[in-house]
Amino acid sequence: MRWRGVVAVWAVGLLAAAVVQALSAGEIRARAKAIGGASGDATVERQRVGELGDLVLAFIELSDDAARAGGEGGRRDELRGAFEAIDAPLESIYQSRATQLEALTRGVMDQDGDLEALYESAEFRDSQGVAAASLYYRNWLRYYGARLYDGARRKELLAAAEKGFSELATADQKRDLLTESLLGRGLCHLELGDTDAAVQDFKLVIADASVSPERQAKARLAMLDAYGRAGRTQDALRFSEEILRGGGVPAGDVTLVRFVRLQTLFDAADKAKGADGERYRREAAALMDTLRGAGKGWADRVDALMVARVDDPRAWAGKAETPRVQWELARLMLTKSDYEGAVPLLQTLVASSDPDARALKPEAEYWLGVARFKANDPAAAAAAFDAALATPGEWAGEARYLRFKALETLVAQPAVIAAPGAAPGVTPGVTPGAAPGAAPGGTPGGTPGATPGATRAGPGAVDRVLQERYHVALVEFLDKNPTHPFAYEARYRLGEYEQSGGQFEIAIATYARVQGDAATVLRARFGTLQSRFELLKGDVDPAARAARLATIGADLDAVEAQSKALPAKSSDVALQELQARTTLLRAVYLSLRGEGGDAQVAALLADFAQRFPQQTELLPQAVRLRLGALLALDRFDDAQKAVTQYGAALQAEQRDEQLDGLATGFARAAARRKASGDAVGAAAAAKTALALYGLLGASGGGKQQLAMAHLQENSGDLAGAAQMFAAALAADPNNLVALRGLARIEEAQGKRAEAQARWATYTSRSRPGDPGWFQGEYQQARLELAGGKKAESCARLSKLRPAMPGLSDADLRRDLTTLYDQACD
């Protein structure tokens, strides 16, 4: 359509309007609906176009404000409603007048063809003016509205605006209207991807000396954008620097220029090498920090740009000179699981005295803790989590969980014998800030003492301060994050802690609250079972003991049923271990209950090695329990076979006291059988006793001699036994078994001083830290206390106490603790 100069009456100064009424999107929608659209009356429509044009100006101002704040994306729905409310009536007026103009033109052509007369007619001029004005406003409205849509709708709006601007960009228009149309068309070209056409239009606007400063500024911004989109990196850098140095754009648009320059610096850094690339990265790092200071919207856009454009955060780390950029680069590394690369940046933030770093420090400490945890440095991780939780944030739940896991690792390291298969320090599956995964592996530890299956030392076995710190972390995690996905794991560990500290009733109550992962629930049930066994030791009343045994029997049934219900895997060593330990506890239960329990124990444990081939550490316990049952049943041949088959395992366990006790039992059985005239039974029992004595640590021909010495000792011939022990010691001055035997006999003969000296020699010839060394120290302290030398006994035990965490013999460790309590009060 041909637009004549009359259009300028309507359009001059639209984008340069001095006063625009500030309206909200909701107010724009309401007013547009009230104004209405086409009416068929040019005068009415003229008035409506003017009112709708004011709303277009208000909409543009609202859109620009959102863009300057970097938050246009978050306000799309709100702005779309305003756009659609104006576009519909404006379009209806334009179509109404365009249809009228077409009808007038067709009518003249059908009559006389005098179009010049038509163009000068009031009716034509009125309709053309209304149509031109509505087209002008509609072009700008649709250009801005296209920014709110994606895909086909966006292209449709831009194409319509570009066509409309092209119609108005004719040589016979007034300069102001021509300039604005060129500017609008260039902007549409830019959004449609035709950067060459866009640059050509912008250059025409910028080159026109009569163009207003407002239009010049818009053209400059658009030109800069075009250079960036066209990949003309150096042109964009030069032009943006020129704008930032020389002004020429409103203050509110300076931030936009900086953002475009930042995008260009990323492009330049990708293309450049060496010093140029470093220079571009350094400037980009500083510019990012400046942009973040412009408000949250810009900070979000910078973050999104970094995630999209920074492929190698380490290449940028050395250029980060401000806390905010250091933080964002560290976060970017963390999202890529580059914990090692993030640590230096996080450490710099934590150590910084910059006021801008203050708000970032707690979360930086948290991520530093995560990084240290991933690097298997639990001490540093726990310290970082402590610092972070002094000012907790939304990540506090994960920080408390990981702190508990880090401390759990530390508690397990010094002396606690971790449950086989367990990996307490490994966080099950975490991505930073994200929720960690599966339950802790492994079979729960037991209680110190004689309970079969015990694997954890008590709280005294490790540093008390660390134990208490671990306990506090557990309780705080459960108190503040009871619904955490892995609270059940911490609750199980809390029960285990209470159990190891002898708080068996409390532990049972805690274990009862473990709900979640089926394997962990099973381990909690097993911990309950162990705790009930420990409580059984204190049951004096027969009725209470019977009730406790009945409960233990029910627990055993439940644990066995639950373990069988779990999906078994050939590689699931932890489950097999728990089943093996449960079998051992079943054997103890049967022995305690009586009622033919020895025969059941012997049968239950007969194939232990075949059922649990991977549980080599538990096999000696099973063999010793079965030997005890076979001794009670007088099944000496079966006992001898068991010792022959599993002697190596028994000897490797290094529990000489237990073996000595069993050997003594069979020796006494041999004496009883001999006295009753059962020579065959006596011989079988004696052979078993000799075989067990032969496992007590001596070597070569001395084994037989020591075995005979033990037999004589147990038969009451102390003098004969002392003579044989002395002969063995003369042959080998380092024979610890002989030294121990002589010490026992001398004490039994009332020679306490000699026994004391003998144990001192025994200790000096044992390797410090070995079970024998602890045994020697214990016996000396015991004799000192028995002889009234309480202070000397306490001094010895106090000196020994720091080394006790290295003792693996739970029974001896318990005896040492009891003696310490007696000697030192």
Side-chain angles (χ1 to χ4, degrees):
M1 182 177 294
R2 181 185 177 193
W3 303 103
R4 301 177 65 81
V6 70
V7 177
V9 174
W10 295 91
V12 170
L14 169 61
L15 295 182
V19 179
V20 176
Q21 185 178 3
L23 297 174
S24 68
E27 290 171 331
I28 291 174
R29 288 198 308 271
R31 292 193 183 190
K33 290 180 180 179
I35 292 170
S39 67
D41 185 324
T43 301
V44 173
E45 290 177 357
R46 177 197 298 266
Q47 176 66 29
R48 290 180 177 176
V49 168
E51 293 173 355
L52 290 170
D54 289 340
L55 296 183
V56 170
L57 296 180
F59 172 77
I60 291 173
E61 187 66 21
L62 196 63
S63 298
D64 282 345
D65 285 345
R68 290 188 193 102
E72 188 176 36
R75 297 177 61 183
R76 272 191 167 194
D77 290 341
E78 169 193 355
L79 294 171
R80 279 174 186 164
F83 164 75
E84 297 290 355
I86 306 171
D87 185 65
L90 201 56
E91 174 67 7
S92 69
I93 292 173
Y94 171 72
Q95 293 297 337
S96 171
R97 289 301 102 194
T99 300
Q100 178 65 15
L101 290 172
E102 185 178 350
L104 291 172
T105 301
R106 190 182 306 112
V108 168
M109 292 297 295
D110 290 344
Q111 293 179 8
D112 54 17
D114 188 358
L115 292 177
E116 288 300 322
L118 174 65
Y119 294 157
E120 297 301 323
S121 67
E123 183 180 14
F124 186 88
R125 288 173 64 85
D126 286 346
S127 288
Q128 188 181 49
V130 174
S134 59
L135 175 62
Y136 179 77
Y137 285 120
R138 191 201 69 170
N139 291 342
W140 284 110
L141 177 66
R142 291 194 169 180
Y143 164 72
Y144 273 88
R147 287 155 44 170
L148 307 175
Y149 296 89
D150 298 307
R153 177 62 170 159
R154 178 177 178 276
K155 290 182 179 180
E156 175 191 343
L157 292 172
L158 287 171
E162 185 276 329
K163 180 181 178 182
F165 281 126
S166 294
E167 288 185 32
L168 294 176
T170 56
D172 63 347
Q173 298 295 351
K174 286 191 175 183
R175 184 172 297 278
D176 285 343
L177 180 60
L178 176 61
T179 299
E180 290 190 7
S181 298
L182 289 172
L183 178 59
R185 186 175 69 181
L187 291 169
C188 291
H189 283 315
L190 182 60
E191 295 300 326
L192 289 167
D194 190 351
T195 54
D196 289 341
V199 167
Q200 184 177 353
D201 282 341
F202 299 147
K203 283 183 175 180
L204 290 173
V205 176
I206 294 171
D208 190 340
S210 65
V211 171
S212 69
E214 291 81 7
R215 295 187 183 90
Q216 285 274 359
K218 288 188 177 292
R220 287 192 185 94
L221 290 172
M223 178 76 85
L224 177 60
D225 194 7
Y227 283 149
R229 297 194 195 194
R232 295 168 61 172
T233 305
Q234 293 306 314
D235 284 336
L237 288 175
R238 172 190 54 78
F239 198 56
S240 61
E241 184 175 9
E242 180 182 313
I243 294 173
L244 292 172
R245 285 185 176 180
V249 299
D253 289 329
V254 170
T255 302
L256 178 59
V257 175
R258 287 176 177 147
F259 186 75
V260 174
R261 182 171 179 82
L262 176 61
Q263 292 175 304
T264 309
L265 286 168
F266 274 109
D267 293 335
D270 288 342
K271 296 175 183 177
K273 297 181 180 179
D276 286 340
E278 294 295 300
R279 177 165 53 84
Y280 292 139
R281 291 188 189 96
R282 191 174 298 281
E283 183 185 350
L287 198 52
M288 283 189 284
D289 200 57
T290 300
L291 284 166
R292 287 193 178 93
K296 186 179 184 305
W298 286 108
D300 291 343
R301 292 182 70 177
V302 169
D303 291 347
L305 184 63
M306 285 184 67
V307 172
R309 299 298 303 275
V310 176
D311 294 326
D312 183 10
R314 290 197 180 197
W316 292 77
K319 319 306 173 298
E321 298 178 351
T322 63
R324 176 56 65 178
V325 176
Q326 290 164 351
W327 171 240
E328 294 304 331
L329 283 172
R331 287 182 59 188
L332 191 57
M333 290 181 188
L334 292 168
T335 61
K336 297 175 182 291
S337 297
D338 183 6
Y339 298 98
E340 182 182 352
V343 163
L345 290 168
L346 294 170
Q347 288 176 322
T348 300
L349 276 169
V350 168
S352 175
S353 59
D354 191 316
D356 291 340
R358 188 176 298 113
L360 303 173
K361 282 186 180 182
E363 191 169 358
E365 289 277 17
Y366 164 68
W367 285 111
L368 189 58
V370 173
R372 292 307 192 195
F373 195 96
K374 290 283 186 179
N376 198 28
D377 187 352
F385 291 133
D386 280 343
L389 288 167
T391 311
E394 60 182 10
W395 34 263
E398 290 308 309
R400 293 187 187 101
Y401 172 77
L402 292 177
R403 179 176 62 178
F404 135 60
K405 295 301 293 179
L407 291 171
E408 180 184 61
T409 302
L410 291 174
V411 167
Q413 281 178 350
V416 179
I417 306 170
V426 178
T427 303
V430 176
T431 60
T443 302
T447 308
T451 303
T455 58
R456 279 186 181 262
V462 294
D463 183 82
R464 293 265 182 192
V465 174
L466 178 59
Q467 282 278 355
E468 181 58 24
R469 187 179 171 201
Y470 171 58
H471 179 239
V472 169
L474 273 174
V475 172
E476 182 179 339
F477 171 53
L478 290 171
D479 180 54
K480 294 186 180 298
N481 304 96
T483 60
H484 188 281
F486 301 104
Y488 69 86
E489 178 186 347
R491 192 162 284 114
Y492 163 69
R493 291 301 185 193
L494 178 59
E496 187 181 46
Y497 176 89
E498 293 161 347
Q499 177 189 349
S500 69
Q503 298 174 293
F504 303 117
E505 294 284 9
I506 296 174
I508 290 170
T510 300
Y511 283 139
R513 297 179 60 201
V514 176
Q515 297 178 351
D517 173 69
T520 306
V521 172
L522 173 59
R523 288 193 288 274
R525 195 67 180 264
F526 183 80
T528 296
L529 184 58
Q530 288 179 309
S531 297
R532 294 200 197 283
F533 266 104
E534 293 296 332
L535 289 169
L536 189 64
K537 297 175 183 178
D539 284 335
V540 178
D541 179 67
R545 183 177 179 81
R548 181 87 64 188
L549 275 173
T551 304
I552 287 174
D555 279 345
L556 279 166
D557 292 341
V559 168
E560 289 170 348
Q562 285 179 262
S563 67
K564 291 177 182 178
L566 285 177
K569 301 177 182 177
S570 59
S571 60
D572 194 349
V573 179
L575 177 59
Q576 294 174 21
E577 183 191 358
L578 186 143
Q579 292 171 337
R581 291 184 185 280
T582 305
T583 300
L584 294 177
L585 290 178
R586 171 71 74 178
V588 174
Y589 164 74
L590 291 171
S591 296
L592 294 173
R593 193 182 63 172
E595 302 174 5
D598 290 322
Q600 292 175 293
V601 170
L604 176 67
L605 300 178
D607 61 347
F608 187 91
Q610 290 72 42
R611 290 167 58 197
F612 308 110
Q614 294 174 301
Q615 305 307 316
T616 54
E617 292 186 3
L618 299 179
L619 176 61
Q621 296 182 53
V623 175
R624 283 190 284 105
L625 282 169
R626 184 164 183 263
L627 285 173
L630 293 173
L631 173 61
L633 295 168
D634 290 342
R635 290 168 53 181
F636 305 125
D637 289 336
D638 288 338
Q640 185 182 354
K641 290 177 184 178
V643 174
T644 301
Q645 185 173 4
Y646 301 114
L650 290 170
Q651 191 171 43
E653 190 188 25
Q654 297 183 348
R655 287 181 176 260
D656 288 353
E657 295 296 326
Q658 285 82 354
L659 292 181
D660 186 73
L662 281 169
T664 300
F666 280 99
R668 288 172 178 167
R672 287 195 305 272
R673 285 289 177 176
K674 184 177 180 180
S676 66
D678 182 4
V680 175
K687 286 181 181 179
T688 304
L690 286 170
L692 287 168
Y693 280 131
L695 300 176
L696 292 179
S699 61
K703 286 184 179 182
Q704 185 74 16
Q705 189 177 39
L706 289 172
M708 294 304 298
H710 278 95
L711 286 172
Q712 287 176 310
E713 179 187 1
N714 292 324
S715 66
D717 184 3
L718 297 183
Q723 184 178 359
M724 298 202 74
F725 278 132
L729 187 62
D732 178 9
N734 293 316
N735 192 317
L736 299 180
V737 175
L739 278 169
R740 187 169 59 242
L742 284 170
R744 284 197 307 267
I745 291 173
E746 286 164 348
E747 183 180 0
Q749 292 173 335
K751 303 175 182 178
R752 184 178 296 148
E754 289 83 348
Q756 174 86 27
R758 195 75 69 180
W759 280 116
T761 303
Y762 177 89
T763 304
S764 68
R765 294 179 183 176
S766 300
R767 187 171 63 181
D770 280 357
W773 180 80
F774 280 102
Q775 181 67 243
E777 291 286 355
Y778 166 75
Q779 295 294 349
Q780 289 182 76
R782 181 181 62 79
L783 289 171
E784 286 169 341
L785 181 61
K789 299 179 180 179
K790 186 174 183 180
E792 290 86 340
S793 178
C794 179
R796 181 183 299 278
L797 292 168
S798 296
K799 185 177 179 180
L800 181 66
R801 194 166 180 78
M804 284 175 57
L807 177 58
S808 60
D809 188 327
D811 292 337
L812 181 55
R813 187 169 56 247
R814 180 196 59 196
D815 292 341
L816 279 164
T817 300
T818 301
L819 188 62
Y820 174 84
D821 292 340
Q822 294 171 352
C824 301
D825 295 327

